[in-house]
Amino acid sequence: MEKLRDFSQIVAQASRGELVFPTSVNAALRLQLALADPDCELDDVIRKVLAEPVLAARTVALANAAVFNRSGTPVTSVRAAVQRVGYRNLYSMTAAMVVRQFGARIRDPQLRAQAEQLWRHTAHVAALAHVVARKLTASDADTALFAGIVHEAGGFYLLSRADEMPGLLDDPADWMGAAMEIISREMMKKLAIPEPVSQAIVSLRGATLTPPPLGLRDTLLIAKRLAPVSSPLAGEQDNPSLDGFLDDNALVEQMLRESADEAASMSAALLV
């Protein structure tokens, strides 16, 4: 009964938009708001990045990651890093930092291990989505990368709350359905995720693929299915069959190869 009451409280808080965020993400959220402003000046963005040492370090690290450093030429300043990755990808990084913070503050060893697995899954899905969008679904690759980074925000949030409320996630039936949808939707609002991306993410759970695979949701579904690290929070309904969609084994192997280095470098660059 106590666990059910705890879970009901979390869902009620999410429904009211009262999600509990770590105080350490304030700098990232401020940067997100600035980047969402179409009149935002480069110098203002750089000042906000430099105001938080971890954010500054991660910005430079991301600019030197394989996904953004095709030439192999390193950058060593925040200004050069921001110019290389661009506002759109910097926005993605700040959202990823927020998501990672939920896992970073977990104390329980088992839950922390799940959070680490969930982050590895997230990094692979983001990298694969970037490749799948280019090669298969004719979607915008940068949007797919961003969606992959934030698509498990609700899962990270639940893991962080389970650290405060032991046994919260023992029964998947409590949180696999409508409750998870509510929490995911509110996380998307809190992170100011654009509506098309939010809709694709919220509709993932229990979704099926229909030929031909098109659009952002299908891109994410395929990336999640191909990811070599599974989500520790996935149910059977979260693994749609790819039979008839990816019969070209050579294409699958190519996408896995191309995404592997990107996933590793992105995971290291965004580690907080």
Side-chain angles (χ1 to χ4, degrees), residues 181 185 196-208 217 221:
E181 181 177 334
R185 191 178 298 279
V197 177
S198 172
Q199 281 295 107
I201 291 171
V202 171
S203 65
L204 281 175
R205 194 167 293 275
T208 56
R217 192 203 67 166
L221 283 172

Side-chain angles (χ1 to χ4, degrees), residues 68-269:
F68 296 116
N69 187 19
R70 302 295 186 186
S71 68
T73 304
V75 297
T76 56
S77 72
V78 167
R79 179 176 294 274
V82 171
Q83 290 173 327
R84 174 177 284 181
V85 302
Y87 284 6
R88 192 175 184 184
N89 292 310
L90 186 58
Y91 187 94
S92 299
M93 186 204 73
T94 58
M97 285 188 65
V98 172
V99 169
R100 281 288 292 167
Q101 280 290 347
F102 287 105
R105 68 175 185 165
I106 293 174
R107 298 178 300 258
D108 180 88
Q110 184 175 352
L111 291 172
R112 192 171 181 85
Q114 285 184 293
E116 289 303 317
Q117 180 181 339
L118 189 59
W119 174 250
R120 293 195 302 275
H121 172 73
T122 295
H124 279 289
V125 169
L128 276 162
H130 194 242
V131 177
V132 170
R134 295 198 316 266
K135 296 185 176 295
L136 193 63
T137 59
S139 300
D140 182 77
D142 288 338
T143 298
L145 177 71
F146 173 54
I149 286 173
V150 300
H151 84 282
E152 282 285 7
F156 280 104
Y157 182 77
L158 276 180
L159 284 170
S160 71
R161 297 306 303 273
D163 193 48
E164 306 162 8
M165 303 171 177
L168 182 73
L169 301 183
D170 287 351
D171 187 357
D174 288 341
W175 51 270
M176 275 283 189
M180 187 61 174
E181 181 177 334
I182 291 170
I183 291 168
S184 294
R185 191 178 298 279
E186 291 306 317
M187 283 292 291
M188 297 298 102
K189 289 180 183 177
K190 189 79 170 182
L191 293 172
I193 305 301
E195 185 63 21
V197 177
S198 172
Q199 281 295 107
I201 291 171
V202 171
S203 65
L204 281 175
R205 194 167 293 275
T208 56
L209 286 162
T210 55
L214 294 169
L216 184 57
R217 192 203 67 166
D218 286 357
T219 300
L220 290 172
L221 283 172
I222 292 170
K224 284 178 71 65
R225 189 68 181 85
L226 290 178
V229 178
S230 63
S231 165
L233 303 180
E236 290 183 7
Q237 74 275 21
D238 296 318
N239 291 300
S241 172
L242 295 182
D243 291 344
F245 288 90
L246 285 177
D247 295 328
D248 187 342
N249 291 331
L251 176 61
V252 172
E253 289 300 320
Q254 183 184 11
M255 291 193 297
L256 288 170
R257 279 197 310 272
E258 287 188 20
S259 67
D261 288 344
E262 290 187 8
S265 61
M266 183 167 54
S267 182

